[in-house]
Every structure is written in structure tokens, then in C-alpha cells.
């Protein structure tokens, strides 16, 4: 294996490790979203509307302000919109 291949393998191993960390964090976030859903159902019954546009907007604003790149603000927003949508789907299934 030449030097470039070794460098690529080392970087790819770092990416793989990050992917597992991202996976674990996404699942932890989903668990918290389900906890929020349970509290809302307890407080408001099964007809609760889990979609909170103001909360989504606030999250996106915080993420936008936090973003340092190299991903663009739009790319990060797209990722977080997907995460929030999947969380909403989980909450609706629970409710």
C-alpha cells in the first residue's frame, strides 16, 4: 500500500468513526423527541399537534448562527429539517 492509499484509509477510518457517533447522537435526539411527545400526550391527550413551526424556526436560526462551515447554511438547514421531520414522524406514531 502506497503513502496516498494509507492516508486515504486513515481518513476514511476517521469518517467511519464519526458516522457511528452521528448515528448514536441522532438516536439520542430521537429518544428526547419521544420523551417530549410523551409529556405532551400526558398534558394534552392523544389529539396533540406535535408540529411546532415556531420551535423549528428557532432551531434553524440557532443552527444557522452556529454554523462555521464548510457546509453552507442551506445544507445544514436541509439536514436539520430532515432530522426534525423524522422526529415528528416518530412523535406522531407514539401519539
Amino acid at each position: 500500500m502506497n503513502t496516498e492509499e494509507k492516508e486515504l484509509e486513515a481518513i476514511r477510518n476517521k469518517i467511519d468513526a464519526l458516522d457511528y457517533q452521528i448515528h448514536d447522537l441522532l438516536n439520542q435526539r430521537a429518544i428526547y423527541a419521544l420523551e417530549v411527545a410523551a409529556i405532551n400526550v400526558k398534558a394534552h391527550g392523544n389529539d396533540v399537534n406535535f408540529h411546532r413551526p415556531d420551535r423549528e424556526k428557532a432551531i434553524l436560526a440557532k443552527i444557522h448562527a452556529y454554523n462555521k462551515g464548510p457546509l453552507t447554511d442551506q445544507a445544514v438547514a436541509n439536514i436539520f429539517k430532515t432530522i426534525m421531520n423524522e422526529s415528528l414522524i416518530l412523535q406522531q406514531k407514539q401519539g
Side-chain angles (χ1 to χ4, degrees), residues 1-12:
M1 187 179 294
N2 66 34
T3 303
E4 290 81 13
E5 289 172 338
K6 288 179 183 177
E7 288 177 27
L8 282 174
E9 182 178 4
I11 293 169
R12 287 177 177 152

Side-chain angles (χ1 to χ4, degrees), residues 17-67:
L18 284 174
D19 286 345
Y20 289 124
Q21 290 176 24
I22 291 167
H23 176 269
D24 291 344
L25 290 170
L26 288 171
N27 277 315
Q28 185 61 56
R29 190 187 190 286
I31 289 168
Y32 292 147
L34 289 172
E35 290 175 6
V36 168
I39 292 167
N40 278 319
V41 167
K42 186 176 179 181
H44 305 290
N46 288 337
D47 292 332
V48 66
N49 181 6
F50 296 109
H51 185 235
R52 301 279 192 247
D54 291 342
R55 173 76 174 136
E56 183 176 316
K57 186 176 178 181
I59 290 169
L60 292 173
K62 288 178 191 179
I63 293 301
H64 173 81
Y66 184 79
N67 186 30

